[in-house]
Amino acid sequence: MTKRKKKIIITVDGYSSCGKSTFAKAIAGELGYIYIDSGAMYRAVTLFALRRGLAGGGTADEGRIVEALPEIDITFRPDRQTGFPVTYLNGEMVEREIRDREVSENVSPVSTIARVRARLVELQRALGAGGGVVMDGRDIGTVVFPDAELKIFMTASPEVRAQRRYLELVSKGLPADFEAVMRNISERDRIDSSREASPLRRADDAVILDNSDMTPAEQMVWFRELYKRRMNES
Ligand code: DC
């Protein structure tokens, strides 16, 4: 009898614009796992707050955002073409809006709010409960799934990350200014790493992937090796 492969939880944490989602999606596609973008959830809450005037100019009104939390419903539905999950906010597809510059500039202050984090962590745990999931974010291996079977911490130089983000914006036809992208990345790194609630840090048992000089294909070769080893150990 052939042994059925156990469906594990894989966490992919790291700095912004490291290529976490590209990498996590590729892994999920290869293993037939579900991909969950936890950053999209923080972005959706930020979009809601911006629309209500509860955030803006790099600040967030903690009290009113917490008060509004019961009104925020975030769901994912598979995209008809790619099959990857697309983000919905209160039933509205917001995948494009949550990537806008205004959201990127206000998402860090919104994600420092402990009650926002508690609510989203609950949702993330529910989505990952059955295993067979690749989830990317900042605190997935440390807080959301501390017992995950395979944890990866991604990093790349700030210049490489800014260049990738800049090219991504250009390819989507969105306004792009390299210096502004660089500033936004540094500022998000600073806030994400220094905040009190679940700061970005590598879990002790996470494997580091520095992809500054790696192509997506090389990263997959690296991953397959790691996955094979880990599954043979368990
Ligand atoms: O992965 P991303 O750049 O789309 O995430 C957007 C922001 O959300 C990021 O600046 C920090 C926050 N975030 C977080 O605090 N915790 C997570 N697990 C994921 C994202």
Side-chain angles (χ1 to χ4, degrees):
M1 200 170 78
T2 52
K3 198 172 127 194
R4 272 190 65 194
K5 275 232 167 74
K6 188 181 160 202
K7 290 213 157 199
I8 63 170
I9 293 178
I10 301 177
T11 66
V12 180
D13 289 304
Y15 294 99
S16 53
S17 304
C18 265
K20 291 193 299 291
S21 66
T22 307
F23 178 67
K25 275 181 187 170
I27 296 179
E30 179 150 320
L31 299 178
Y33 279 19
I34 295 167
Y35 163 67
I36 297 164
D37 175 359
S38 70
M41 299 182 194
Y42 290 93
R43 287 174 178 273
V45 173
T46 305
L47 179 65
F48 179 94
L50 283 166
R51 286 176 170 176
R52 285 282 182 96
L54 310 179
T59 60
D61 184 333
E62 175 165 352
R64 289 174 64 210
I65 292 175
V66 169
E67 217 175 286
L69 277 177
E71 292 174 57
I72 305 176
D73 178 48
I74 299 167
T75 49
F76 293 101
R77 295 178 208 164
D79 180 81
R80 277 210 206 122
Q81 276 162 13
T82 65
F84 286 119
V86 166
T87 317
Y88 284 74
L89 169 62
N90 293 336
E92 176 195 349
M93 205 272 265
V94 291
E95 193 57 38
R96 190 183 162 88
E97 288 84 346
I98 60 170
R99 313 288 162 193
D100 280 353
R101 184 166 156 183
E102 213 191 349
V103 172
S104 296
E105 286 175 356
N106 288 280
V107 65
S108 280
V110 170
S111 37
T112 59
I113 303 172
R115 297 267 295 273
V116 167
R117 302 203 70 82
R119 173 76 199 287
L120 296 186
V121 166
E122 201 182 311
L123 187 57
Q124 288 151 14
R125 286 187 180 144
L127 290 170
V133 163
V134 184
M135 194 176 293
D136 72 358
R138 303 292 187 287
D139 60 343
I140 310 303
T142 51
V143 174
V144 183
F145 295 115
D147 299 326
E149 290 88 344
L150 183 49
K151 300 180 185 178
I152 296 164
F153 189 83
M154 283 178 78
T155 179
S157 77
E159 291 75 20
V160 167
R161 288 153 55 205
Q163 183 67 18
R164 286 179 187 156
R165 177 88 187 117
Y166 174 79
L167 293 175
E168 189 189 334
L169 291 171
V170 171
S171 74
K172 287 182 181 163
L174 293 167
D177 165 12
F178 184 78
E179 291 306 318
V181 169
M182 189 77 196
R183 273 197 306 277
N184 178 249
I185 285 186
S186 310
E187 185 57 7
R188 281 208 280 155
D189 281 357
R190 192 187 62 75
I191 302 179
D192 294 348
S193 314
S194 63
R195 69 177 175 224
E196 226 166 90
S198 312
L200 169 66
R201 69 167 186 81
R202 181 178 77 84
D204 295 336
D205 51 350
V207 184
I208 295 177
L209 170 61
D210 181 339
N211 69 3
S212 303
D213 301 311
M214 286 170 91
T215 63
E218 286 167 342
Q219 293 171 58
M220 284 313 287
V221 171
W222 176 91
F223 171 75
R224 283 184 200 115
E225 197 48 45
L226 174 70
Y227 175 77
K228 205 165 72 191
R229 242 184 301 129
R230 202 51 72 88
M231 294 310 270
N232 285 340
E233 280 163 13
S234 66

